[in-house]
């Protein structure tokens, strides 16, 4: 998780970044921060605080961020990784200038690099993997800033989208597998904006220019894109995260060549073909399953109804750091609509099933509200493996589908029937041009090497 934004070549860089972060709030709710560089004074500035974007970045804080260049971050953190010291942007000074860095993804050799750097005498200020990137840049022997950044990035393994300013120059990089998204847009008022999702471009009326390509490093100065040599690693089959399409990205975002809403509808239609259900109504688990439920309803010709109402003033349960907080929020987050559900055979469509705790509580809630039968359909395959590339599902033990048959999961959830979309069905829905994806949390097929795990070091998903 996490969301990143940068603005270059616009005097309202901080305010525009704020708006971009605001539209990426679904990617993290723990902390928000913006760093700017003011070329007029040669000084860098940073504000960061715990909480939602609008709480963390108050008008007073934004007023402290002059300059034409900004990098910005919203943070999702795992248990133990929270705290302001781990909020981004990271800001340091080194011989090349003032550095501000934001990172979305998860490095799979972060602890290996960290151990090496600690042995060489490096002092770390945080526990996040992103800080190793700054140390590697500062310690590079290359004689240009471009070279130092390329040198640092070439030592990384795993998933990263990085936005990095060195004085008045902005750099953007995406790992060779392209796990996480990063797009470039042109601002109508001048300059460029880069962001994790296109919805952050829409809010500032920016026009999509293009994606930052997997394995690409670009330099932006004064709003102009300049090419820097590609990262030395090349991957024949990029591995963008299919779970972004399934769950994480906003439905209006354009991602991996598809509008997320359209992709989810296609998952729902295919699910109805593969796993038909005997129902009177189809309902979604709002909001992330809305599109898939509409697709299921279209293909099955079972009417779509609003059987669950979501309270939007509670955060997404899946991204709550502690289990206690998650259980508590489930009951606060959804309300059943008795008039819709009473006496009905209800087909509930959800996007995915990770821990199962939310679904189990929801099924009990639907039965209490009068549903005569509950048939659960998941618009993705069983999640059986943890993600090491930036999504928080840290252990196999926490995944309800790991080591259980579909019938055992059905019993645990208390549903009348349970059906998952097949792995082939999922990928075929979004492979019109032969695209390849990471599906490791469904299949266990990890492509980027899990270096820390091979070294016996802990592997945590930081962001
Ligand atoms: S393991 Fe799953 S969540 Fe992680 S990058 Fe791959 S598809 Fe995405």
């Amino acid at each position: 998780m996490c969301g990143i934004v940068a603005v270059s070549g616009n005097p309202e860089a901080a305010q525009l970044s704020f708006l971009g972060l605001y539209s990426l709030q679904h990617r993290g709710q723990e902390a928000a921060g913006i760093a700017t560089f003011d070329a007029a004074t040669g000084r860098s500035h940073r504000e960061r605080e715990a909480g939602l974007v609008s709480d963390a970045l108050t008008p007073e804080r934004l007023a402290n961020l002059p300059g034409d260049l900004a990098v910005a971050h919203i943070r999702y953190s795992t248990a133990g990784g929270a705290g302001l010291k781990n909020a981004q942007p990271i800001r340091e000074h080194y011989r090349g200038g003032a550095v501000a860095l934001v990172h979305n993804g998860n490095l799979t050799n972060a602890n290996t690099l960290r151990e090496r750097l600690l042995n060489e005498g490096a002092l770390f200020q945080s526990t996040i993997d992103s800080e190793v990137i700054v140390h590697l840049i500062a310690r590079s022997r290359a004689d240009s800033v471009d070279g130092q950044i390329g040198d640092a990035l070439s030592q990384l393994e795993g998933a990263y989208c990085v936005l990095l300013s060195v004085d008045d120059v902005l750099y953007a990089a995406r790992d060779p597998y392209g796990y996480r998204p990063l797009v470039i847009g042109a601002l109508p008022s001048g300059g460029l904006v880069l962001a994790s999702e296109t919805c952050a471009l829409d809010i500032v009326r920016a026009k999509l220019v293009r994606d930052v390509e997997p394995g690409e490093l670009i330099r932006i100065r004064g709003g102009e894109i300049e090419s820097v040599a590609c990262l030395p690693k090349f991957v024949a089959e990029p591995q963008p995260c299919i779970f972004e399409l399934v769950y994480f990205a906003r439905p209006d975002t354009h991602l991996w060549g598809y509008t997320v809403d359209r992709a989810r509808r296609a998952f729902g239609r295919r699910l109805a073909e593969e796993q038909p259900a005997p129902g009177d109504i189809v309902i979604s688990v709002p909001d992330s399953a809305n599109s898939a439920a509409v697709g299921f309803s279209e293909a099955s010709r079972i009417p779509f109804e609003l059987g669950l109402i979501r309270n939007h003033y509670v955060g997404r349960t899946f991204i709550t750091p502690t289990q206690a907080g998650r259980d508590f929020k489930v009951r606060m987050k959804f309300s059943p609509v008795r008039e819709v559900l009473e006496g009905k055979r209800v087909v509930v469509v959800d996007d995915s099933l990770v821990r199962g705790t939310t679904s189990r509580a929801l099924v009990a809630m639907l039965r209490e509200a009068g549903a005569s039968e509950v048939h659960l359909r998941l618009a993705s395959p069983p999640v059986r493996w943890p993600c090491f590339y930036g999504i928080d599902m840290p252990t196999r033990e926490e995944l309800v589908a790991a080591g259980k048959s579909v019938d055992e999961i059905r019993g645990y959830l208390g549903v009348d029937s349970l059906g998952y979309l097949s792995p082939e069905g999922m990928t075929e829905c979004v492979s019109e041009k032969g695209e390849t994806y990471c599906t490791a949390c469904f299949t266990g097929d990890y492509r980027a090497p899990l270096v820390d795990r091979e070294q016996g070091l802990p592997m945590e998903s930081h962001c």
Side-chain angles (χ1 to χ4, degrees):
M1 299 292 282
C2 294
I4 56 176
V5 177
V7 171
S8 169
N10 192 293
E12 297 199 308
Q15 288 79 3
L16 292 164
S17 297
F18 170 87
L19 290 169
L21 289 185
Y22 199 82
S23 68
L24 296 177
Q25 185 76 80
H26 57 285
R27 297 183 74 88
Q29 301 164 340
E30 293 296 308
I34 300 177
T36 58
F37 185 80
D38 185 1
T41 60
R43 294 186 59 191
S44 64
H45 305 264
R46 177 179 64 177
E47 293 284 345
R48 55 181 183 159
E49 189 52 79
L52 299 175
V53 174
S54 54
D55 297 328
L57 297 168
T58 58
E60 295 75 29
R61 286 206 168 95
L62 287 178
N64 294 333
L65 295 167
D68 286 6
L69 171 59
V71 299
H73 187 263
I74 45 161
R75 175 165 171 71
Y76 161 75
S77 72
T78 55
L84 196 55
K85 73 173 183 188
N86 286 338
Q88 297 186 32
I90 295 169
R91 192 176 66 140
E92 296 290 349
H93 282 83
Y94 87 115
R95 67 185 188 283
V99 177
L101 177 141
V102 292
H103 168 214
N104 174 213
N106 197 61
L107 305 179
T108 54
N109 64 341
N111 283 325
T112 305
L113 291 169
R114 193 181 181 91
E115 279 209 346
R116 192 189 88 201
L117 289 161
L118 283 168
N119 286 335
E120 290 170 9
L123 300 170
F124 281 85
Q125 295 182 10
S126 73
T127 58
I128 52 173
D129 56 353
S130 320
E131 194 179 347
V132 299
I133 305 171
V134 178
H135 283 279
L136 293 172
I137 293 169
R139 283 161 184 257
S140 168
R141 307 218 170 228
D143 54 11
S144 69
V145 172
D146 290 7
Q148 290 150 13
I149 293 171
D151 193 14
L153 295 177
S154 67
Q155 297 176 64
L156 307 181
E157 296 287 358
Y160 60 86
C161 281
V162 170
L163 294 169
L164 162 75
S165 64
V166 181
D167 287 344
D168 62 344
V169 184
L170 175 66
Y171 292 86
R174 198 162 155 223
D175 71 73
Y177 294 89
Y179 283 105
R180 303 275 148 241
L182 188 59
V183 291
I184 310 172
L187 287 158
S189 51
L192 295 170
V193 56
L194 292 90
S196 299
E197 293 185 32
T198 58
C199 63
L201 270 47
D202 297 335
I203 195 171
V204 294
R205 297 181 191 278
K207 192 163 174 285
L208 178 66
V209 175
R210 67 175 177 89
D211 288 10
V212 176
E213 297 297 332
E216 189 180 25
L217 170 61
I218 59 174
R219 181 180 57 221
I220 297 171
R221 204 189 318 246
E224 296 294 321
I225 302 172
E226 302 169 72
S227 178
V228 182
C230 282
L231 301 182
K233 285 180 196 154
F234 171 75
V235 175
E237 290 194 338
Q239 300 280 301
C241 168
I242 203 161
F243 217 66
E244 294 265 0
L245 285 172
V246 168
Y247 172 76
F248 288 114
R250 235 170 66 163
D252 55 328
T253 279
H254 197 73
L255 181 75
W256 316 142
Y258 300 87
T259 303
V260 172
D261 168 67
R262 294 289 139 177
R264 288 180 188 164
R265 284 188 193 216
F267 294 152
R269 282 195 294 273
R270 179 72 179 245
L271 176 64
E273 289 162 18
E274 291 185 2
Q275 300 285 344
D280 302 312
I281 57 170
V282 171
I283 69 167
S284 76
V285 179
D287 293 326
S288 51
N290 288 349
S291 302
V294 169
F296 192 101
S297 170
E298 284 169 358
S300 65
R301 299 181 183 272
I302 302 171
F304 175 76
E305 293 276 1
L306 297 174
L308 281 170
I309 302 299
R310 183 178 162 185
N311 181 341
H312 285 91
Y313 303 99
V314 184
R316 297 176 106 182
T317 54
F318 184 67
I319 60 172
T320 306
T322 67
Q323 190 66 46
R326 189 175 301 111
D327 290 340
F328 178 61
K329 281 189 176 179
V330 169
R331 294 193 298 276
M332 294 176 69
K333 189 170 161 184
F334 297 106
S335 301
V337 183
R338 180 170 284 277
E339 290 71 16
V340 170
L341 300 165
E342 206 151 32
K344 299 281 188 348
R345 297 174 300 160
V346 179
V347 182
V348 186
V349 177
D350 206 349
D351 49 81
S352 55
L353 192 60
V354 179
R355 293 172 176 90
T357 47
T358 303
S359 302
R360 195 176 185 209
L362 277 175
V363 171
M365 197 186 278
L366 294 170
R367 290 202 193 278
E368 274 174 36
S372 60
E373 293 177 19
V374 180
H375 301 274
L376 181 61
R377 295 295 179 268
L378 284 314
S380 61
V383 177
R384 293 207 160 100
W385 303 88
C387 174
F388 298 112
Y389 305 132
I391 303 300
D392 175 34
M393 10 174 151
T395 65
R396 276 205 91 191
E397 293 70 42
E398 284 189 276
L399 302 173
V400 69
K404 281 198 186 75
S405 68
V406 171
D407 199 49
E408 285 169 328
I409 303 165
R410 186 199 59 72
Y412 168 77
L413 297 173
V415 288
D416 295 284
S417 73
L418 173 65
Y420 285 94
L421 181 61
S422 67
E424 307 74 42
M426 176 179 66
T427 48
E428 282 172 21
C429 286
V430 286
S431 300
E432 285 170 13
K433 301 184 199 98
E435 295 93 332
T436 52
Y437 294 96
C438 176
T439 56
C441 50
F442 305 111
T443 60
D445 180 13
Y446 298 103
R447 296 296 173 91
L450 306 180
V451 179
D452 285 345
R453 192 165 79 167
E454 285 155 18
Q455 299 292 322
L457 293 168
M459 289 204 56
E460 292 164 5
S461 186
H462 283 289
C463 187

